[in-house]
């Protein structure tokens, strides 16, 4: 995808706070303060003003066991959003949650469940 619409809360004239976990965009996380411009009635990302400290991971898994993955991550304190594709989730890992712990769970599940794969959207831990 070349464009992803993100939910944001306006902070200043040209800044806002990202208010959802990105699914396709790299380098941006939930809670980041970003600089925007308005072009033809649409807002466009320009730069990060203040990173939130959150990391973003994404999991793609073609199986009904996705709920097991989601529950484990929620129990650890992560925020999990389901995309329009029920087999694709994005994960916000807050600074106080162990990124190594989340990666360990995902790596173990990758070995256990054929078809599960994950990637990093942005790492700030």
């Amino acid at each position: 995808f070349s464009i992803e619409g993100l939910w944001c809360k306006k902070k200043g004239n040209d800044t806002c706070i990202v208010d959802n976990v990105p699914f396709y965009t790299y380098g941006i996380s939930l809670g980041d303060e970003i600089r925007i411009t308005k072009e033809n009635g649409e807002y466009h990302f320009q730069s990060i003003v203040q990173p939130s400290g959150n990391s973003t991971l994404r999991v793609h898994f073609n199986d009904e066991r996705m709920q097991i993955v989601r529950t484990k991550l929620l129990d650890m304190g992560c925020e999990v959003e389901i995309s329009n594709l029920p087999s694709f989730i994005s994960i916000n890992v807050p600074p106080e949650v162990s990124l190594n712990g989340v990666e360990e769970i995902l790596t173990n599940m990758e070995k256990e469940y054929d078809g599960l794969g994950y990637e990093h959207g942005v790492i700030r831990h």
Side-chain angles (χ1 to χ4, degrees):
F1 292 91
S2 61
I3 295 175
E4 177 177 7
L6 297 176
W7 299 346
C8 294
K9 293 179 182 175
K10 194 88 162 141
K11 183 167 182 189
N13 286 338
D14 65 347
T15 61
C16 59
I17 305 295
V18 177
D19 197 32
N20 73 302
V21 185
F23 284 99
Y24 302 102
T25 304
Y26 292 91
I28 299 175
S29 279
L30 174 73
D32 287 356
E33 182 178 351
I34 61 173
R35 186 165 320 285
I36 54 172
T37 58
K38 191 171 185 178
E39 300 170 21
N40 299 322
E42 295 181 342
Y43 293 100
H44 295 271
F45 169 80
Q46 295 301 306
S47 63
I48 294 179
V49 175
Q50 180 66 44
S52 62
N54 293 321
S55 294
T56 302
L57 296 134
R58 300 179 185 99
V59 176
H60 188 267
F61 190 35
N62 292 320
D63 195 291
E64 67 279 353
R65 293 174 287 185
M66 175 60 85
Q67 188 58 42
I68 296 168
V69 176
R70 189 171 179 264
T71 299
K72 285 186 179 194
L73 295 168
L74 289 169
D75 289 347
M76 290 184 72
C78 296
E79 295 176 54
V80 179
E81 293 195 22
I82 300 172
S83 79
N84 60 324
L85 307 170
S87 62
F88 186 44
I89 62 174
S90 60
I91 306 157
N92 180 63
V93 184
E96 65 273 9
V97 173
S98 167
L99 179 61
N100 289 339
V102 170
E103 288 176 321
E104 184 177 326
I105 283 175
L106 293 174
T107 299
N108 288 338
M109 294 185 104
E110 212 172 22
K111 293 174 187 170
E112 184 179 346
Y113 299 146
D114 185 42
L116 182 142
Y118 78 95
E119 70 170 9
H120 298 100
V122 62
I123 301 298
R124 297 219 172 98
H125 279 69

